[in-house]
Amino acid sequence: KRAALVQAGVWNALDDRFEAFFADYCGTQAADMRAVVATLFSGGTPVAREIGFIHKGHYIAHVGSFDPAYASCAPGTLQIDDTIKACFEEGIHTYDLLAPADDYKRALGTASIPVRDWVLPRTARGVLYCRVAEGLVPCLKRLRDWVDGIAKRWQRRRATAG
C-alpha cells in the first residue's frame, strides 16, 4: 500500500506513525469498535488486503491494497465483494468506502455524503505552510494531470504506430 500511495503522490504514508496506529489499535480495541483485516488469496498467495472497522452495525473500509502483479484480475474489487458478502452474513448493511470519491467508489456506491478537508494551523509556520499549499497543491495537481494526459496520448500514438 505504501508503494502505491507514494506512486500516487501521497507522502504521509511514509510516516511510521501510519503503521504504528494500526498496530496499536488492533492490539487494544475498544469494545464498541473492532478492527477487521481481510485478505484475498489466490493459490495461497495474498493478492489483496483491506483494513476496516466495524462500529454500531457499520463497516468502514479504511485502507485497501492489492498486488499490482494481479491488477488485470481486479483483486481490489474481488476483495471488496468478499467483504460486502461477509458484512451481510454478519448483519451489517452499511459499507462505507470513505472519502475521497474515487471513480470505483462512485461505481460501487448507492449514496454519498459531501466532505471537506479542514486544516487548523497552530503556529505561524503552519499558517504559512497552509497558505502556500492552498495555492500550490491545486496547481501541482493540474500539472500532474496535464503531464499524464500527454503521456497517455503519446502511448496511444506509439501503440497505433507499432
Side-chain angles (χ1 to χ4, degrees):
K1 182 64 178 186
R2 283 185 178 191
L5 290 172
V6 168
Q7 186 176 6
V10 180
W11 299 102
N12 65 340
L14 294 176
D15 190 327
D16 289 334
R17 292 175 293 184
F18 183 75
E19 187 174 333
F21 162 78
F22 289 109
D24 184 46
Y25 179 82
C26 291
T28 59
Q29 293 181 45
D32 63 342
M33 183 179 288
R34 96 182 134 104
V36 178
V37 179
T39 305
L40 180 71
F41 292 92
S42 174
T45 302
V47 295
R49 286 198 170 99
E50 182 176 88
I51 298 172
F53 301 95
I54 296 174
H55 180 65
K56 296 184 178 181
H58 301 281
Y59 178 83
I60 299 112
H62 182 67
V63 64
S65 68
F66 64 88
D67 184 337
Y70 292 85
S72 64
C73 303
T77 302
L78 293 172
Q79 175 67 63
I80 290 170
D81 290 347
D82 237 22
T83 305
I84 290 171
K85 179 182 175 213
C87 285
F88 275 115
E89 288 170 356
E90 283 195 44
I92 298 166
H93 296 286
T94 303
Y95 183 98
D96 191 338
L97 292 163
L98 299 178
D102 295 316
D103 290 340
Y104 80 93
K105 293 177 183 179
R106 283 195 286 271
L108 288 169
T110 58
S112 65
I113 298 170
V115 296
R116 180 179 168 102
D117 290 332
W118 291 94
V119 177
L120 181 61
R122 296 175 28 183
T123 64
R125 202 158 136 191
V127 170
L128 177 63
Y129 174 82
C130 288
R131 300 263 166 116
V132 170
E134 187 175 45
L136 188 59
V137 169
C139 292
L140 291 174
K141 285 182 178 180
R142 284 194 300 274
L143 177 63
R144 178 201 62 202
D145 293 345
W146 179 73
V147 169
D148 283 349
I150 289 172
K152 286 177 184 172
R153 285 192 297 275
W154 183 78
Q155 287 173 347
R156 281 195 299 268
R157 285 185 193 148
R158 268 188 81 140
T160 57

